[in-house]
């Protein structure tokens, strides 16, 4: 925690204009940015920053499915693009907290995909190189943070789009409780599941951004008020799962095995819930908003994205309700799990892929990437992704901490502790609060 | 409240065998009961009653879509019938509280309908006669209470099936918050909306039954825990609506106008939410469970019921999600309404119908009956229906009190006050608690 505090105070001392110059001087890797403000405009924004604000002068990037006034929102599809009149409330809250928005970042088209390979604006590589995918769909936002271009960034996370690229770039990814950060002004993927997510290089800043970004927005029907008192847990009971599939990746398997939990839980109901998303009726939720565009502009959409979205046409309303009923049973199973443990720790992804591997099986390998992320929003969980060192062959490993809805602050405390232990290179443990 | 207490202590003094004999001696109007236990069996149950229990020796009827061990569950369809091995948990809780289940009552087939005219087991008449429908779908349970055969009864209420027959028979109908009474062992209509409801002749007993019947059931994925502290409200702000449609029924319009609220609210978003049920994708939710039976046994289902259910085949999964998204906006509007008022009071039904009138337009007039009831479960409201005197031509009038989820106890306090004022023949007012 000392480390984090030090880093933050360093950031606070830097002036806004220097930060802007740093972004402008930073290398611009292929496929990370879709649009950025001009230098003059950025310096004008830096002028306006009140140094007393909690995020004063910090720079941030915004995934290009979230509205920023003055830049188009493309959602990764040029023919879909529109020019929003105002910032999404979540962006405005960060600007009001003193942060400077630099521009819009690349994503898997319509936030559909976990690879970073499904965009007409290029396919970013992980900061760790070697042809490794950046992960997606918040590909550009993750890389822009990991390579040091900006202090933090916003992504979205419906099925894992905030967690998977955090894992592949060795940074922190917060997937907040649904509705805690407003999704107004965000291009819907699955409206009932969509979340705005946060990327930062270390947990303390991620937490500070989270506190500035969250808040009830009355005009947003999906916005939720957090219950008054957050549960403080002195000795959280940590759950881990056995028998997970690492798809033959012994490096990732070993990285997960380094983490010791208190209780072993059955991940079966979680994984079944996750399957409702792309192998079940929830894929049709994407058509509720995108269906008309897809029908009228089939050639504007990437073939792989179209193929995924069109599977939603095969489901009836009765199928959707049947899926909803099964989900309720799985939610009840998850609720029973929260009676035994406070935090569940899983690998963020079971294995990693290169761009070449994804090209070989773009849909099947995407499903593999989502295996341990896609259930979270269906089961109303909060999640934080934390780096977990490296495999012997140098690929990033990562853990995701899950808790029930509105456990965000408790999870963040545990994530900080895990991050500091990992940074020390020691074995993984979880903090005892208080 | 004095009236209610007196009635209850009278009931307490009566012995269980006398109660059973009274039920056996009571007239059995056409179409009220589907099956009953034998006299010997009932007296055996009376023997077993512990006189110290809260509902000791009271008799009750159960709508025939709720499981009672020893009697078939028909849901109003002989070919669908099955013999349950155990009581539904909600029935068992009442038995455990000392009550004696007499038998199973008629209903609109598959609880689909608000008239009481859609059953192969007959079409009960309202206790007020004149060819007036009993209302449905909990037709038999309402009439069995209203005519004094049993002390109380269970119905179900997805779209108004507990409130509409209460209105047409001049009794109390509680439509609890979803999940407060378990729906395990209930034939699903719309699983995500189904509620078990309670009928009694006066509010005090209805409340006592409610307290015995409710409780979290871990095996029921739809069961909900009530939040710890119920909100006590000293001076509830009462909302009423203007410009409601009474479908030309000036008698019902005048009856509603006798009630004075504090604040006038816009019922528009509520009515729009209600339309999602039968004129929108939620009708397909009924097919999630019934679809297979309907497809394999089309001739076993009443033509009118089949016609209603089959409209669900016309909706896609994307339609279902689009409906869900619109509902979220309407829920937000309802939440804003609860910031201005504590209780909303509406007419339970805008007008009444005879069986002849229903036969003339069975689907259109059913929709009219549901106008002011069908939004409640979609918008997660609790409701209590209370008699409101009579029209000049002698038809029953009634009011329904609505509150947000888990306001059940507060609503019941207001319902008692309203009932007593109505019983005194004076103008309608709402109690000041405390």
């Amino acid at each position: 925690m000392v480390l984090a505090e030090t880093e933050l105070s360093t950031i606070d001392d830097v002036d806004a204009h220097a930060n802007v110059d740093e972004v402008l001087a930073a290398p611009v890797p292929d496929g990370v940015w879709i649009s950025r403000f001009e230098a003059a405009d950025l310096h004008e924004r830096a002028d306006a920053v009140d140094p007393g604000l909690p995020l004063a002068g910090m720079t941030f990037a915004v995934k290009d499915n979230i509205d920023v006034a003055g830049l188009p929102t493309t959602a990764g599809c040029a023919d879909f693009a529109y020019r929003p009149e105002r910032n999404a409330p979540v962006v405005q809250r960060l600007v009001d907290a003193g942060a400077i928005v630099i521009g819009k970042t690349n994503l898997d088209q319509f936030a559909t995909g976990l690879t970073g390979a499904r965009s007409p604006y290029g396919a970013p590589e992980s900061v760790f190189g070697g042809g490794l995918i950046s992960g997606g769909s918040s590909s550009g936002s993750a890389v822009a943070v990991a390579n040091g271009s900006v202090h933090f960034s916003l992504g979205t996370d419906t099925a894992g789009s905030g967690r998977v690229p955090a894992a592949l770039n060795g940074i922190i990814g917060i997937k907040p409780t649904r509705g805690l950060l407003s999704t107004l002004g965000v291009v819907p993927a699955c409206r009932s599941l969509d979340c705005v997510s946060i990327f930062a290089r270390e947990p303390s800043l991620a937490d500070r951004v989270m506190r500035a970004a969250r808040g009830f927005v009355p005009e947003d029907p999906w916005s939720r008020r957090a219950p008054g008192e957050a549960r403080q847990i002195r000795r959280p009971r940590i759950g881990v799962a056995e028998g997970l599939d690492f798809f033959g990746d012994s490096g990732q398997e070993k990285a997960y095995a380094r983490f010791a939990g208190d209780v072993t839980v059955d991940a079966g109901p979680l994984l079944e819930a996750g399957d409702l998303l792309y192998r079940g009726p929830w894929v049709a939720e994407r058509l509720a908003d995108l269906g008309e565009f897809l029908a009228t502009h089939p050639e504007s959409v990437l073939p792989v994205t179209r193929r995924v979205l069109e599977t939603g046409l095969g489901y009836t309303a009765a199928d959707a309700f049947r899926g909803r009923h099964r989900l309720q049973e799985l939610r009840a199973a998850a609720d029973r799990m929260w009676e035994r443990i406070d935090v569940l720790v899983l690998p963020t992804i079971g294995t990693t892929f290169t761009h070449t591997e994804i090209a070989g099986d773009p849909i099947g390998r995407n499903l593999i990437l989502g295996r341990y992320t896609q259930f979270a929003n269906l089961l109303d969980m909060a999640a934080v992704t934390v780096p977990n060192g490296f495999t012997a062959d140098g690929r990033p490993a990562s853990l995701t901490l899950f808790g029930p809805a509105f456990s965000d602050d408790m999870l963040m405390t545990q994530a900080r502790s895990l991050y500091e232990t990992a940074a020390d290179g020691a074995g993984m443990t979880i903090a005892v609060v208080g």
Side-chain angles (χ1 to χ4, degrees), chain A:
Chain A
M1 227 171 289
V2 175
L3 169 75
E5 293 302 330
T6 313
E7 279 204 12
L8 261 183
S9 60
T10 309
I11 290 171
D12 286 348
D13 294 341
V14 175
D15 89 19
H17 288 283
N19 287 344
V20 164
D21 285 333
E22 215 171 287
V23 176
L24 293 169
V28 180
D30 282 350
V32 171
W33 296 91
I34 291 181
S35 62
R36 308 215 309 191
F37 287 113
E38 300 292 327
D41 193 351
L42 291 174
H43 277 293
E44 206 171 289
R45 286 158 194 258
D47 272 338
V49 166
D50 171 352
L53 291 170
L55 300 176
M58 290 193 190
T59 58
F60 73 110
V62 178
K63 185 177 179 178
D64 202 14
N65 60 347
I66 305 175
D67 289 348
V68 171
L71 294 173
T73 304
T74 69
C77 178
D79 293 341
F80 178 85
Y82 60 92
R83 286 201 160 259
E85 290 193 7
R86 52 179 65 85
N87 289 333
V90 67
V91 170
Q92 189 58 46
R93 289 183 71 95
L94 296 170
V95 169
D96 291 346
I100 300 169
V101 52
I102 301 298
K104 308 293 290 289
T105 50
N106 199 3
L107 70 161
D108 285 315
Q109 192 170 66
F110 299 123
T112 300
L114 296 168
T115 64
R118 297 181 181 174
S119 169
Y121 297 95
E125 200 182 17
S126 159
V127 286
F128 298 111
L132 200 65
I133 54 170
S134 62
S137 61
S138 313
S139 51
S141 280
V143 174
V145 163
N147 73 13
S149 299
V150 289
H151 288 111
F152 67 90
S153 63
L154 294 182
T156 61
D157 189 326
T158 301
S161 287
R163 288 160 282 160
V164 171
L168 284 153
N169 290 283
I171 58 175
I172 304 291
I174 301 183
K175 197 297 294 169
T177 297
R178 277 196 286 108
L180 215 50
L181 274 60
S182 172
T183 51
L184 207 65
V186 178
V187 178
C190 292
R191 264 182 208 267
S192 71
L193 304 176
D194 294 343
C195 287
V196 170
S197 74
I198 292 166
F199 296 108
R201 283 186 296 283
E202 49 77 36
S204 189
L205 176 59
D207 189 39
R208 189 187 282 211
V209 174
M210 171 80 170
R211 287 168 197 278
R214 74 186 178 191
F216 184 73
V217 173
E219 309 78 52
D220 175 2
W222 300 96
S223 189
R224 294 161 89 186
R225 289 179 211 273
E229 272 300 292
R231 217 161 48 119
Q232 260 299 24
I233 296 174
R234 219 183 124 69
R235 289 182 186 278
R237 296 159 300 169
I238 309 298
V240 290
E242 277 180 348
L244 296 179
D245 195 345
F246 290 86
F247 311 96
D249 187 336
S250 63
Q252 294 293 341
E253 188 167 6
K254 278 180 192 154
Y256 181 59
R258 287 201 298 266
F259 182 81
D262 305 312
V263 181
T264 302
V265 301
D266 175 15
L270 282 54
L271 302 181
E272 187 188 336
D275 280 341
L276 291 169
L277 206 55
Y278 280 107
R279 297 179 176 186
W282 263 266
V283 68
E285 185 168 14
R286 294 175 190 256
L287 296 176
D289 287 291
L290 274 177
E292 203 189 320
F293 183 82
L294 192 69
T296 54
H297 301 72
E299 300 309 319
S300 304
V301 180
L302 293 177
V304 62
T305 310
R306 206 163 68 205
R307 218 172 113 203
V308 171
L309 293 174
E310 283 176 351
T311 59
L313 297 171
Y315 292 95
T316 66
D319 293 332
F321 284 109
R322 229 173 267 123
R324 176 67 189 81
H325 299 169
R326 182 62 187 145
L327 176 60
Q328 190 73 10
E329 294 166 357
L330 298 168
R331 281 184 182 167
D335 287 346
R336 287 192 291 273
M337 182 181 79
W338 297 130
E339 290 170 8
R340 296 176 59 218
I341 62 172
D342 301 299
V343 178
L344 173 67
V345 179
L346 292 181
T348 309
I349 47 180
T351 186
T352 63
F353 293 114
T354 61
H355 274 294
T356 310
E357 286 166 333
I358 290 296
D361 180 6
I363 292 178
R365 288 184 174 146
N366 192 87
L367 280 172
I368 287 176
L369 289 172
R371 187 78 176 139
Y372 304 123
T373 56
Q374 60 193 7
F375 57 81
N377 287 320
L378 286 156
L379 296 175
D380 204 9
M381 296 182 185
V384 181
T385 295
V386 182
N388 182 28
F390 292 86
T391 58
D393 57 355
R395 291 169 301 129
S398 111
L399 295 171
T400 294
L401 286 64
F402 297 89
F406 304 113
S407 66
D408 304 73
D409 290 343
M410 183 270 289
L411 275 189
M412 206 62 214
T413 303
Q414 303 310 321
R416 278 187 188 215
S417 156
L418 191 57
Y419 176 80
E420 286 155 27
T421 321
D424 292 345
M428 301 287 147
T429 57
I430 287 272
V432 173
V433 179

